[in-house]
Amino acid sequence: MNIMDFNMKKLAADAGTFLSRAVQFTEEKLGQAEKTELDAHLENLLSKAECTKQWTEKIMKQTEVLLQPNPNARIEEFFYEKLDRKAPSRMNNPELLGQYMIDAGNEFGPGTAYGNALIKCGETQKQIGTADRELIQTSAINFLTPLRNFIEGDYKTITKERKLLQNKRLDLDAAKTRLKKAKVAEARAAQLNTSQPEENNIMIWAEEVTKSEQEVRITQSEFDRQAEITRLLLEGISSTHAHHLRCLNDFVEAQMTYYAQCYKYMLDLQKQLGSFPSIFLSNNNQSSSTPVQSVSTPSVLASASASLPSVSNSVVTSGISELKSSSGSRKARVLYDYDAANSSELSLLADEVITVYSIPGMDSDWLMGERGNQKGKVPITYLELLN
């Protein structure tokens, strides 16, 4: 029974406090009650925390979109994460494309130029897919997780203490309002001090004033204490920024490694496909001889730079141009097998060396090739000019 009485009294007290806060909040909104303002430093800290929360959420969500463009996959990963279960392993887009290319290449025949090229491209796409997985995993651990921990951990604590500070402020202002009303009532009673009952009324209001003053002192102390707790938490935002800066550096490092790996894979593929001469296949006949700028990157890019071919596009272009403008001939290595489409063309075998030259009026994508007593047109994209 005593426990029930205690619970009922506590419930009544909580209800009274809630009602007092609601009345104070409403009167403040209506301009009928005074409001204790927070000091400028605390207001700035609150504004900084709110700004940090908003931008952290935006950066985190957009990073997730960057790493996983498929919204359905993001939703699936979110649910598996909440259920504390591992999401099923699936091929990502580069890996899936790579597998399709490999399957197509095997179907067309690895011995054919197109089939062989598809298989090589597919293997490279799979390497890129593996690098993509590593980027996602590294970024999730070193960048996204710290941002999410701030939103779901630190900022929730700040929000809780901020709400508590708001309640303490409402309690303080409600106590000040009651004190003000008690003093006004005491003054009115003093003016009407004409009879014994009125003297008793003065004493009642004097007691009420004393009680209200004590309540103001208590609520002021609780408000100041809560303001200090909130201030200490908010000052930790600067440390959060420093931590997120380190995480941002880790994210940039992960991206740099990823793009360096992709760059290296594509350079290797380009060398395998002999893509430097293939610029002449473009319909607009534009040269892609833009020099590659050197970028200071980790060891991955250093190894990628080391794999750059010794002959640039401009050199190849120059060699072909000189050959077409002169009456001379050059030796060329065949990159892929080529089956002649008609009698005017020459069939080729990969890795054989033939003699090539140009004749007036010939299409820019072709040269004349000779192998012993055989000769015919050959596509320049299947050739690598030799010095």
Side-chain angles (χ1 to χ4, degrees):
M1 188 66 179
N2 291 335
I3 296 178
M4 184 175 295
D5 289 342
F6 174 78
N7 290 337
M8 291 299 295
K9 289 179 180 179
K10 186 176 184 302
L11 182 61
D14 291 342
T17 301
F18 177 79
L19 180 61
S20 174
R21 291 170 180 170
V23 171
Q24 177 66 26
F25 182 79
T26 303
E27 290 181 348
E28 287 176 0
K29 291 298 182 181
L30 297 175
Q32 298 175 356
E34 295 180 358
K35 175 182 176 181
T36 299
E37 299 292 341
L38 302 177
D39 64 81
H41 178 60
L42 188 56
E43 287 285 4
N44 288 335
L45 289 176
L46 288 169
S47 177
K48 183 178 180 180
E50 181 65 24
C51 181
T52 301
K53 180 251 184 183
Q54 291 178 357
W55 283 111
T56 299
E57 280 185 331
K58 290 181 179 180
I59 292 172
M60 183 178 69
K61 291 178 180 178
Q62 193 56 40
T63 302
E64 291 173 344
V65 172
L66 173 67
L67 297 176
Q68 178 50 270
N70 188 336
N72 294 328
R74 290 201 304 273
I75 293 173
E76 182 185 53
E77 291 172 358
F78 173 79
F79 280 113
Y80 274 103
E81 181 181 351
K82 291 301 179 183
L83 294 173
D84 197 20
R85 294 177 59 186
K86 185 178 180 180
S89 179
R90 293 190 179 92
M91 283 188 174
N92 55 28
N93 290 333
E95 289 174 331
L96 193 59
L97 174 60
Q99 189 60 53
Y100 287 163
M101 285 182 168
I102 291 174
D103 292 344
N106 289 325
E107 182 74 17
F108 296 146
T112 65
Y114 184 43
N116 185 270
L118 279 171
I119 292 174
K120 292 183 183 298
C121 288
E123 291 170 348
T124 300
Q125 289 297 329
K126 281 198 166 186
Q127 288 179 310
I128 292 175
T130 300
D132 190 60
R133 287 183 183 276
E134 294 174 355
L135 171 65
I136 293 174
Q137 182 179 11
T138 303
S139 300
I141 295 173
N142 296 336
F143 187 60
L144 288 177
T145 297
L147 298 187
R148 188 175 292 108
N149 288 342
F150 169 73
I151 296 296
E152 298 179 355
D154 296 349
Y155 192 77
K156 280 190 175 181
T157 302
I158 291 174
T159 302
K160 178 182 176 182
E161 297 299 331
R162 182 177 182 178
K163 183 178 180 180
L164 190 55
L165 177 63
Q166 172 74 353
N167 290 338
K168 295 298 182 183
R169 185 196 64 76
L170 289 172
D171 292 342
L172 173 61
D173 288 338
K176 288 180 178 179
T177 300
R178 285 192 291 272
L179 175 59
K180 183 177 180 180
K181 291 179 179 179
K183 286 183 177 180
V184 171
E186 183 187 29
R188 287 179 180 175
Q191 292 177 358
L192 300 175
N193 186 15
T194 57
S195 62
Q196 186 66 25
E198 291 297 336
E199 290 179 0
N200 292 337
N201 198 22
I202 292 175
M203 293 180 62
I204 292 174
W205 284 114
E207 291 177 358
E208 184 66 25
V209 168
T210 302
K211 181 180 177 182
S212 297
E213 288 175 343
Q214 177 66 18
E215 185 181 6
V216 168
R217 285 193 293 271
I218 293 173
T219 53
Q220 182 70 58
S221 175
E222 291 178 349
F223 171 76
D224 292 341
R225 178 177 175 275
Q226 185 58 38
E228 181 65 15
I229 293 174
T230 306
R231 182 184 65 79
L232 291 174
L233 280 173
L234 292 171
E235 287 178 345
I237 292 293
S238 296
S239 299
T240 298
H241 284 188
H243 178 52
H244 286 181
L245 174 58
R246 292 192 295 271
C247 296
L248 181 61
N249 286 331
D250 291 340
F251 179 56
V252 172
E253 183 77 18
Q255 282 188 305
M256 187 169 60
T257 301
Y258 167 73
Y259 289 119
Q261 286 178 318
C262 294
Y263 178 65
K264 179 181 181 300
Y265 296 149
M266 297 312 295
L267 277 178
D268 292 342
L269 177 63
Q270 189 181 49
K271 289 174 64 178
Q272 293 178 55
L273 297 181
S275 59
F276 285 109
S278 70
I279 56 173
F280 301 101
L281 268 180
S282 59
N283 293 329
N284 53 15
N285 291 325
Q286 292 179 349
S287 171
S288 59
S289 59
T290 303
V292 179
Q293 297 181 357
S294 60
V295 182
S296 177
T297 59
S299 57
V300 177
L301 185 55
S303 62
S305 300
S307 66
L308 277 169
S310 58
V311 181
S312 66
N313 292 353
S314 59
V315 174
V316 175
T317 305
S318 175
I320 294 292
S321 300
E322 291 176 1
L323 183 62
K324 286 182 173 292
S325 62
S326 67
S327 58
S329 62
R330 290 277 295 273
K331 294 292 184 180
R333 184 175 67 87
V334 178
L335 298 172
Y336 312 107
D337 293 345
Y338 177 73
D339 295 327
N342 51 56
S343 59
S344 67
E345 298 178 4
L346 179 66
S347 295
L348 302 173
L349 295 174
D351 293 327
E352 70 172 329
V353 176
I354 64 173
T355 302
V356 294
Y357 56 92
S358 180
I359 59 177
M362 177 169 283
D363 189 281
S364 61
D365 294 336
W366 297 80
L367 289 172
M368 287 299 294
E370 283 189 3
R371 180 179 58 240
N373 295 327
Q374 297 176 323
K375 66 178 181 179
K377 293 193 301 181
V378 293
I380 62 175
T381 55
Y382 281 65
L383 304 174
E384 179 183 14
L385 292 181
L386 301 177
N387 293 328

